[in-house]
Amino acid sequence: MKTLRNISVIALFGLVLISFTSRDNSITISQALLEKKIEMEIVPYRTYDANGIQVVVKNISGKSLTLKMPLGTTFSPDADEEQTLIRSEEEIFALNNNQSKTLDFIGYCTELHDRGCDEGTTFRMDQTKNTDLLNLLSFMDSLRIKDENTIQHAIWSITDQSPLGYVTLDTDTSAARKLREYICTKTGQANIWYNTAS
């Protein structure tokens, strides 16, 4: 009886383990590219389009895929004097074989003083190596901050020591306060009380 109970416990543990491991069966777009499971095109930056970056992904693996583009994915331009752009949110999506999907999203600038990209720019996709920047994006995601100006200025405060006064949030002062406190611990800036117009 004891042996039967042990077998039951082991079987139950196995089922729980399988359910946990199969819950996230996604792979990153970078990994899928490396394994030649997808084709991808990064559409040239459109200067006056609010979406900023457009990535077209096609599944050529012969089976359905669940793909992930993590937050902190970077898009480096071919010209050194142009901005490297970064994605502030994660996206997970499924594609059937031969199905395509177009991802439109904001690409936030990571260099305050470099010029913007233009319609002829080509990009190389990568993942940021800047752990402070990656941690900032994760922190803002945990606070559910979606305001584009807030996200942009917070990024520049980490990458370029941009003044904290630009990091404002009209709709949620509690989140703005937490974000400013977080940035201060990372940059050594004084936690000022006032806002500066962007």
Side-chain angles (χ1 to χ4, degrees):
M1 188 71 173
K2 190 173 181 182
T3 305
L4 185 59
R5 189 180 315 135
N6 288 344
I7 291 171
S8 297
V9 168
I10 291 169
L12 181 62
F13 179 74
L15 285 173
V16 169
L17 189 62
I18 288 167
S19 69
F20 276 115
T21 54
S22 63
R23 197 170 282 173
D24 183 12
N25 59 353
S26 61
I27 62 170
T28 64
I29 287 180
S30 297
Q31 185 64 33
L33 268 176
L34 194 65
E35 296 175 8
K36 299 186 179 355
K37 293 180 175 179
I38 61 169
E39 293 174 344
M40 183 184 75
E41 179 188 10
I42 303 171
V43 176
Y45 185 82
R46 294 162 297 160
T47 309
Y48 300 107
D49 186 338
N51 289 326
I53 296 264
Q54 194 176 76
V55 178
V56 182
V57 182
K58 183 178 182 182
N59 180 359
I60 57 169
S61 69
K63 60 181 183 179
S64 62
L65 291 174
T66 303
L67 299 166
K68 181 191 307 183
M69 182 179 285
L71 92 173
T73 300
T74 57
F75 298 87
S76 304
D78 50 1
D80 287 340
E81 67 276 6
E82 292 180 348
Q83 290 280 350
T84 294
L85 305 175
I86 195 164
R87 175 134 197 202
S88 68
E89 296 177 301
E90 178 178 79
E91 184 163 353
I92 299 176
F93 59 96
L95 284 180
N96 293 321
N97 185 44
N98 285 323
Q99 186 180 5
S100 296
K101 181 176 176 66
T102 300
L103 309 175
D104 281 304
F105 53 91
I106 301 284
Y108 291 98
C109 302
T110 60
E111 295 105 6
L112 182 55
H113 301 293
D114 280 358
R115 70 177 173 84
C117 307
D118 58 38
E119 289 150 359
T121 301
T122 56
F123 290 103
R124 183 184 74 257
M125 191 180 76
D126 204 352
Q127 184 71 16
T128 183
K129 307 295 187 289
N130 185 332
T131 54
D132 286 338
L133 186 51
L134 193 58
N135 290 338
L136 170 73
L137 295 175
S138 296
F139 186 72
M140 287 193 289
D141 192 53
S142 74
L143 293 175
R144 302 187 187 285
I145 292 175
K146 304 294 182 193
D147 181 74
E148 294 165 20
N149 285 330
T150 303
I151 293 169
Q152 181 61 80
H153 285 293
I155 288 170
W156 281 335
S157 71
I158 295 293
T159 61
D160 292 87
Q161 288 287 312
S162 176
L164 195 64
Y166 291 120
V167 180
T168 61
L169 242 176
D170 295 334
T171 55
D172 189 347
T173 53
S174 169
R177 189 182 70 252
K178 289 174 185 172
L179 179 56
R180 282 188 173 192
E181 288 169 358
Y182 178 86
I183 290 169
C184 288
T185 63
K186 298 299 178 185
T187 64
Q189 290 193 51
N191 196 352
I192 56 174
W193 57 269
Y194 57 87
N195 294 337
T196 306
S198 174

